[in-house]
Amino acid sequence: MDNQDILQRIQALVDEEHQLREPAGSGPAGGGNSDEDDDGRTERRARLRQVEEALDQCWDLLRQRRAKAKAGEDPNEADARPVNEVEGYVQ
């Protein structure tokens, strides 16, 4: 996976995140009805959390690759770190 692949994955995740953050029923097929049941909201929140975690991992991997390239190292040696590690970073 190169930097361009990672950036495309980030864009896809950002698009999904925006969709998940829209109020239920406000999308093109929703017709303005916001009667999402509890199970739907729970699933939506769980998926949003997964997307946020995947975004954090992608951004971290991209930063690692760029740092390695800048240091004259092989960016392909960078590995995605576990969610619990990247989620603990202070921004």
Side-chain angles (χ1 to χ4, degrees), residues 57-86:
Q57 284 182 300
C58 286
W59 280 115
D60 177 67
L61 180 58
L62 187 62
R63 282 190 292 271
Q64 285 184 64
R65 288 180 56 83
R66 288 176 172 169
K68 284 187 175 290
K70 187 174 182 179
E73 298 177 25
D74 182 2
N76 291 322
E77 292 179 1
D79 290 317
R81 297 182 229 222
V83 168
N84 62 348
E85 188 172 334
V86 298

Side-chain angles (χ1 to χ4, degrees), residues 5-90:
D5 293 333
I6 297 168
L7 287 167
Q8 288 174 349
R9 175 77 174 131
I10 287 170
Q11 185 59 57
L13 288 165
V14 167
D15 291 344
E16 183 177 358
E17 180 184 33
H18 289 174
Q19 289 175 345
L20 290 167
R21 289 186 185 280
E22 285 181 7
S26 68
N33 184 2
S34 62
D35 293 333
E36 186 175 26
D37 62 7
D38 286 341
D39 288 340
R41 282 191 297 274
T42 300
E43 288 174 19
R44 195 177 181 98
R45 282 192 301 268
R47 180 60 188 151
L48 180 58
R49 180 72 180 150
Q50 291 172 338
V51 168
E52 290 170 340
E53 291 170 346
L55 272 168
D56 288 343
Q57 284 182 300
C58 286
W59 280 115
D60 177 67
L61 180 58
L62 187 62
R63 282 190 292 271
Q64 285 184 64
R65 288 180 56 83
R66 288 176 172 169
K68 284 187 175 290
K70 187 174 182 179
E73 298 177 25
D74 182 2
N76 291 322
E77 292 179 1
D79 290 317
R81 297 182 229 222
V83 168
N84 62 348
E85 188 172 334
V86 298
E87 286 293 297
Y89 293 156
V90 178

